[in-house]
Amino acid sequence: MIPIVTIEGSTASGKSRLALMFAHKMETDIISADSRQIYRFMDIGTAKPTQEEMESIRHHLIDIVNPDVRYNAGDFSKDAGLIIKQLKEEGKLPIIAGGTGFYIKSLIEGIFKSPDIPLELRVKLEKEAETIGLDAMHAKLMEVDPDAGENIYKQDKQRILRSLEIYYYTGKPISVHWKEQKVKEEYKPFKILLTDERELIYKRIENRFDVMIEAGLLDEIDSLLKMGYTKDDYGLTAVGYKEFMPYFYEHAEFEDCIEQAKQNTRRYAKRQQTWYRRQEFDLIINPKDINEELVTNLYKNFKQL
RNA sequence: GGCGAGAUAGCUCAGCAGGUAGAGCAGAGGCCUGAAAAGCCUUGUGUCCCCAGUUCAACUCUGGGUCUCGCCA
C-alpha cells in the first residue's frame, strides 16, 4: 500500500497554507483535489494557489481542462492514481489537498467502474422524465432496482436518472455494481481535516470574496465570456461565477450578485462540513494551530515512510 | 410643526366579524458511489412597539404615548 497524506476541509479553512508548508518540508508535490481548480482561465474565483506558490511547489491536477469539459470523480480517481504512482517512484510522499471530499473518497475507497454512457440514452431519459414526471421515473427505478431507489429522494433527478441509465445500459442495477465493487486497498492514507467555527469560516469567506472582486474577478469572468464560454459550460457553474451571469446577461445589480455569491459560498461550506462529519480522519486541526511546529511534527512522522 | 401610512420570527411582509399567529427569504439539521463549488431532503413560538380602556377574552376595537417612513411646511 502506498502511503499518502490528505488535507481536507471546507472552503476558506486554510488547506492550501498547510499543504504548502508541509510540501516544502517534505520536499514533495501537491495533488489538488478540487473540482473547479481543474479549469484553466478560472484562477481568481476558484482561489487557486498563486503563480509563485505553484513555482515553488509543483501542483498537479490544476489547469488540466477547459471550462467546457465535464470532469468527474472517476476521472480524478484515475488521474490522481497515476500521479501518486509517479511520485512514489520519485520517492516522494504524495499530498492530496482539496475541498472536493467526494473525489478523495473515490480515490481512496474506489468508485465502481462505470462504462461511458452514450449521450443519446441520457437525452432519452431526460425527455422521458419531462413527459411522465419524476415520480414515475422513481417508480420505474423502484421496480428494477429497489435497493438504489429506496435511498434516493423522489426529487433527486440526477441520481434517479443516473441509476436508470446504468441499469438500461449494463443490464444490471447500479446497486449490484456497488456490491460487486472490490474494496480498494491501494493506499494507506493519513487523513487530516481542517475545521473551524462556522462563524469564522463565514467571515473568512466574505473577506476573501471581497479580495477576489478587488483582484479582478469580474474581468476574469468577462474574458471567459469573450473567449466564447457561456453560462451553460460546466466550469461557469462554479460558485463565484454563476452568480454573475445575471449581471452580464441581464444587467442585474452588481451588489446583489456579490451577496448571492457569498451566500452560495457559505452554503457550500456548510455542505462540506456536513460531509466531513461522516468521514473519518486521523488528525483534526484548527487553522489557527497551523505553525512550523505542527509541520515539523508531521514531518518527523512521515519522513521515514 | 401639519397631514398620512406603518410598527407581527434574524429580514421582507401576510393575517385575525376579537378566541394568543403564518408565508417567502436568511439561518439550522441531514443525504450523497462518475454533475460533488453539483444535485436533493427536513425544519418557522415570536414581549404580534409600550401604557391604559372596552370585553368572559385584544395581536385584532378605542384612547394616549414612542419610534420609523412618506408628503407638505
Side-chain angles (χ1 to χ4, degrees):
Chain A
M1 289 203 283
I2 305 175
I4 60 175
V5 172
T6 72
I7 299 177
E8 302 182 64
S10 74
T11 190
S13 64
K15 296 182 296 289
S16 312
R17 192 156 66 89
L18 177 60
L20 278 168
M21 286 170 77
F22 190 45
H24 270 292
K25 198 85 183 174
M26 292 296 294
E27 296 182 326
T28 184
D29 299 1
I30 291 172
I31 301 173
S32 161
D34 188 301
S35 70
R36 304 294 147 158
Q37 289 184 3
I38 58 166
Y39 291 116
R40 300 185 188 109
F41 322 122
M42 295 175 53
D43 303 336
I44 299 172
T46 62
K48 275 180 200 166
T50 63
Q51 204 60 43
E52 300 81 68
E53 287 168 338
M54 299 231 261
E55 274 160 22
S56 67
I57 292 290
R58 184 145 184 240
H59 284 70
H60 300 268
L61 301 184
I62 287 181
D63 291 338
I64 55 169
V65 294
N66 286 344
D68 56 349
V69 171
R70 277 206 179 187
Y71 190 84
N72 60 44
D75 297 327
F76 177 82
S77 181
K78 192 165 63 102
D79 292 345
L82 292 173
I83 296 161
I84 288 171
K85 254 185 212 117
Q86 182 193 314
L87 291 179
K88 160 97 176 157
E89 275 167 30
E90 293 171 24
K92 291 172 172 171
L93 173 71
I95 298 175
I96 293 119
T100 307
F102 182 46
Y103 279 13
I104 293 180
K105 187 180 160 95
S106 302
L107 171 71
I108 294 171
E109 294 174 24
I111 182 165
F112 100 95
K113 287 191 177 45
S114 167
D116 289 332
I117 307 295
L119 198 63
E120 305 85 71
L121 179 56
R122 292 195 168 162
V123 171
K124 191 182 145 237
L125 287 171
E126 196 71 45
K127 275 195 183 137
E128 199 180 344
E130 250 166 61
T131 54
I132 69 172
L134 262 188
D135 279 0
M137 294 306 273
H138 187 263
K140 270 176 182 255
L141 178 61
M142 285 302 285
E143 260 173 54
V144 301
D145 188 356
D147 282 354
E150 265 173 29
N151 295 311
I152 299 175
Y153 291 114
K154 288 193 174 62
Q155 297 307 314
D156 195 345
K157 182 164 124 191
Q158 203 166 278
R159 291 196 172 77
I160 293 170
L161 298 193
R162 167 72 184 156
S163 302
L164 283 173
E165 74 181 14
I166 288 295
Y167 174 74
Y168 291 138
Y169 190 70
T170 68
K172 205 193 275 184
I174 195 167
S175 62
V176 173
H177 281 104
W178 293 338
K179 274 177 206 142
E180 291 174 352
Q181 188 186 330
K182 274 177 277 167
V183 180
K184 194 171 175 183
E185 287 182 324
E186 218 176 325
Y187 309 115
K188 186 168 179 259
F190 184 85
K191 302 185 72 191
I192 300 172
L193 177 71
L194 281 163
T195 52
D196 207 343
E197 277 171 53
R198 184 102 103 218
E199 284 300 313
L200 295 177
I201 295 269
Y202 283 2
K203 202 170 280 177
R204 255 178 265 141
I205 284 171
E206 275 153 36
N207 293 152
R208 189 179 66 174
F209 201 80
D210 291 335
V211 171
M212 285 176 179
I213 294 292
E214 274 169 43
L217 180 57
L218 260 285
D219 292 339
E220 182 170 286
I221 299 172
D222 191 43
S223 75
L224 280 162
L225 295 176
K226 287 202 173 107
M227 285 166 97
Y229 295 110
T230 72
K231 65 178 169 57
D232 297 320
D233 284 313
Y234 203 66
L236 294 198
T237 64
V239 169
Y241 293 82
K242 65 176 175 209
E243 294 84 2
F244 289 97
M245 293 303 124
Y247 172 75
F248 286 102
Y249 284 92
E250 299 146 26
H251 300 95
E253 285 299 324
F254 180 52
E255 291 298 326
D256 294 344
C257 296
I258 291 178
E259 284 316 307
Q260 198 63 50
K262 286 180 179 174
Q263 179 178 102
N264 283 336
T265 311
R266 273 182 252 131
R267 287 170 167 173
Y268 165 48
K270 180 173 182 268
R271 266 181 278 131
Q272 285 176 308
Q273 290 188 334
T274 302
W275 168 273
Y276 291 130
R277 264 178 226 150
R278 273 304 189 92
Q279 312 298 316
E280 283 179 13
F281 290 91
D282 299 291
L283 179 65
I284 297 176
I285 49 190
N286 188 289
K288 70 175 186 297
D289 298 326
I290 299 174
N291 54 37
E292 273 306 322
E293 196 192 341
L294 172 82
V295 173
T296 303
N297 284 336
L298 285 173
Y299 171 73
K300 283 180 191 154
N301 269 302
F302 289 105
K303 172 171 72 164
Q304 64 272 44
L305 293 177

